Amino acid sequence: MSSPATTSAALPTASNAHASAHEGGQFALLTQRRFGPFFWVQFFGAGNDNIFKFAFTVLVTYQLQVSWLPPAMAGLVIGALFIFPYLIFSATSGQLADKYPKEVLIRFVKNLEIAIMLLAGWGFMQQNVQVLLGSVFLMGLHSTLFGPVKFAYLPQHLSERELTGGNGMVEMGTFVAILLGNVAGGLLIAMPLVGPTYVAVACLLLAVIGRALAQAVPVSPATDPQLRINWNPITETWRNLKLAHGNTVVFRSLLGISWMWFFGAVFLSQFPSFARDVLHGNEQVASLLLVVFSIGIGIGALLCEMLSRRHVEVGLVPLGAIGMSVFSIDLYFASHSLPPSTIALTLGQFMAEAAHWRVLADLALLSLFAGIYSVPMYALIQMRSQPTHRARIIAANNILNALFMIGSSVLAGALLGAGVSVPQLFLLVGLANAVVAFYIFMLVPEYLLRFVAWIASRFVYRFRVAGDEHIPTQGAAVIVCNHVSFVDAVLLMAASPRPMRFLMDHRIFKVPVLGWLFKLAKAIPIAPQKEDPAAYEAAFDAAAAVLREGDLLAIFPEGGITRDGTLQPFKAGVMKILERAQADGVAVNVIPMALTHLWGSFFSRVELAGGEPTAMVKPFRRGLFNRVGLNVGEPLRAEAVTPEGLRERVAGLLEA
């Protein structure tokens, strides 16, 4: 398993190229110079890595007899040598990727790949194991240098609406390249007499193709050209981890991604023994497991753009985690309902048994959900990291990934040595995934909140958003919206690519479940000034702090949920917020929004109880999947805003 590797300039503004990519979806990016050459460079690089490593593994396992490298240890040694550079050179590679233009570094790395493949080719033809082991280490170094460049490149060339799709394409491409590389490496090295020569030629040819494509990668300016390189890997590794730790959401997302690599490494490392000892299959069956796993990851990665409506939607992360646990646990039970066999089943014999299809389905689905889990996390890290040290954050991620993968191998080995079977290992990892995911979601409530918003906007309602390009992807802004129901805030969360802090009536915090969610979202309770003057002022102080920190503040200026479905007069609180922002020297825009078709839904006060308008009385009064919408207007300059004018804007959006 290969390790994966805010200013206005960080995320590009919309352009004709971006618009066409948005219309055509993520695959349209392949036709554009800002993405296409880069995609194929990383695709051929990942493929070349795996042709070389797998061919070498087969060579020392089946063809050469090397007393100091027994076949049972060959895969472990080759994998460890490849991962080792991630531990010692990631910190340096992150600095280089921040200091120098990324297209220059990409071309340098591809030149290095050609040199390494020349050395490795000689090693294959001479069947010199020492040279080939050295080449494995050098290819690990090559991948270490490319990792931070790869993930820091995307946010320089893709808009926020393209970032999830772009990451999905890269993730899909990486796993397809791994799969094809393993297949090609095995086929080439198995050719009698000429196998090593064919592998040498293929690896060199792919390196040359990658270098040619790298020439077409567009200019990608350095994000921190004044950076002084610290060549001490130990101190710089610690500094990178501290940089990452400075942003809580980013750092815990790094841990979440590293856990996914821990999870995946357990399965990939156990496919051969799982196929042989549990499924009673031959080498072809083990290869089939790898194919199914790789295709599942790729499909999951590609689904993210559709499921997220082309935004960075971290609400998909809990969905992915749930699927990973459910299907890895079911894989354990599926493994206990297999028919006995006294022979090693061929691929055809294996596929003829219906019970084996459940195993393959579990494997495909757990890997699909792993793809859904990882892509939004990568996109979130890219979007939320400061551009000046984004590559160093990615380097910290690679360091953590390597440590988690090593930990995965050590723990899996210890458990298997203690008598745990492979299916039991899968069960334990699935249960551990549920615990780890829950822990992460409690530490970073944004994941859980966005998941609730994602569920509400797709399964409770059919939610459509118009004008969401007006929601700023960075910088402070005040969101104003009509107030129709108790779930208005949840739907606004679903529409925004960024977290919002809500200024809300203190009484809504007493509503079961919803009140807990709003507390988790750090919503700001506000009470009427006559009722609680201290709480009133504290709410405006907290709102001012949100804007000073450059975040989004959402308010419902009617002051309460409508009781008759009509738009109420706007109170002057919004003006007080804008005046405080001006006094603090914070330039903010006001984004008007209008929720439509929510009146009459379960969460609106459409029912009468004791003569009072009441919500949440008849759960299915409008059936399931009600169509509701959100219309987002163009930003307004703060100095041009009045309560009456703002109300007119929102009223106009209600009629749009």
Side-chain angles (χ1 to χ4, degrees), residues 47-320:
N48 210 9
D49 279 349
N50 286 276
I51 288 177
F52 167 60
K53 286 190 298 178
F54 195 73
F56 181 30
T57 303
V58 172
L59 181 71
V60 295
T61 302
Y62 294 102
Q63 299 179 14
L64 294 181
Q65 298 299 321
V66 183
S67 59
W68 51 270
L69 187 61
M73 294 293 295
L76 179 62
V77 170
I78 291 170
L81 268 177
F82 189 83
I83 289 295
F84 187 57
Y86 281 93
L87 293 176
I88 58 176
F89 296 120
S90 283
T92 303
S93 65
Q95 293 178 90
L96 294 172
D98 279 333
K99 182 175 177 62
Y100 296 106
K102 291 171 185 60
E103 81 281 4
V104 172
L105 287 172
I106 289 172
R107 290 163 194 160
F108 170 78
V109 168
K110 292 292 114 177
N111 289 336
L112 179 62
E113 183 180 353
I114 292 174
I116 296 169
M117 285 303 141
L118 284 170
L119 177 65
W122 183 85
F124 270 115
M125 289 187 287
Q126 297 297 317
Q127 298 197 358
N128 189 315
V129 175
Q130 291 92 332
V131 168
L132 290 171
L133 286 173
S135 300
V136 170
F137 178 84
L138 291 174
M139 281 304 288
L141 173 61
H142 154 273
S143 297
T144 301
L145 291 171
F146 187 63
V149 177
K150 178 169 78 171
F151 285 104
Y153 173 92
L154 291 176
Q156 278 192 269
H157 293 274
L158 303 184
S159 68
E160 184 273 334
R161 293 176 68 85
E162 297 168 318
L163 207 50
T164 294
N167 276 282
M169 290 293 291
V170 169
E171 187 91 341
M172 177 275 298
T174 298
F175 276 89
V176 170
I178 290 171
L179 174 61
L180 294 177
N182 283 333
V183 171
L187 292 175
L188 289 173
I189 197 65
M191 291 183 176
L193 302 177
V194 296
T197 301
Y198 279 22
V199 171
V201 172
C203 288
L204 181 59
L205 182 61
L206 288 181
V208 171
I209 292 172
R211 177 60 184 86
L213 289 166
Q215 200 61 36
V217 172
V219 173
S220 309
T223 52
D224 191 4
Q226 306 306 316
L227 176 67
R228 295 183 62 183
I229 302 293
N230 174 17
W231 297 101
N232 185 323
I234 297 174
T235 59
E236 187 59 27
T237 294
W238 182 248
R239 186 182 301 173
N240 282 6
L241 293 173
K242 286 179 68 177
L243 271 176
H245 193 266
N247 185 320
T248 301
V249 173
V250 167
F251 183 72
R252 287 171 178 164
S253 298
L254 297 182
L255 294 177
I257 288 174
S258 296
W259 168 257
M260 191 276 290
W261 286 96
F262 179 105
F263 178 93
V266 169
F267 286 88
L268 287 175
S269 65
Q270 297 306 314
F271 282 163
S273 56
F274 183 59
R276 183 186 65 238
D277 301 332
V278 179
L279 303 180
H280 310 295
N282 62 9
E283 295 87 345
Q284 293 176 327
V285 174
S287 297
L288 176 64
L289 300 183
L290 175 63
V291 170
V292 170
F293 190 89
S294 299
I295 291 174
I297 286 272
I299 293 173
L302 292 178
L303 282 175
C304 287
E305 186 188 52
M306 180 189 72
L307 294 173
S308 66
R309 293 199 183 106
R310 295 178 177 171
H311 279 302
V312 177
E313 180 53 84
V314 297
L316 295 178
V317 176
L319 175 68

Side-chain angles (χ1 to χ4, degrees), residues 520-597:
L520 203 60
K522 298 181 180 178
I524 303 166
I526 184 169
Q529 187 174 21
K530 293 180 180 178
E531 180 181 322
D532 192 339
Y536 177 82
E537 290 300 327
F540 283 101
D541 289 341
V546 170
L547 297 177
R548 283 197 302 271
E549 292 166 5
D551 294 329
L552 297 181
L553 176 70
I555 64 171
F556 301 102
E558 294 168 273
I561 297 172
T562 181
R563 291 171 170 267
D564 57 8
T566 62
L567 186 64
Q568 306 301 304
F570 282 12
K571 300 185 182 301
V574 64
M575 301 308 299
K576 183 169 182 174
I577 290 170
L578 296 176
E579 288 166 6
R580 284 286 299 271
Q582 185 177 14
D584 291 337
V586 180
V588 299
N589 285 334
V590 178
I591 317 296
M593 299 184 180
L595 285 161
T596 61
H597 307 301

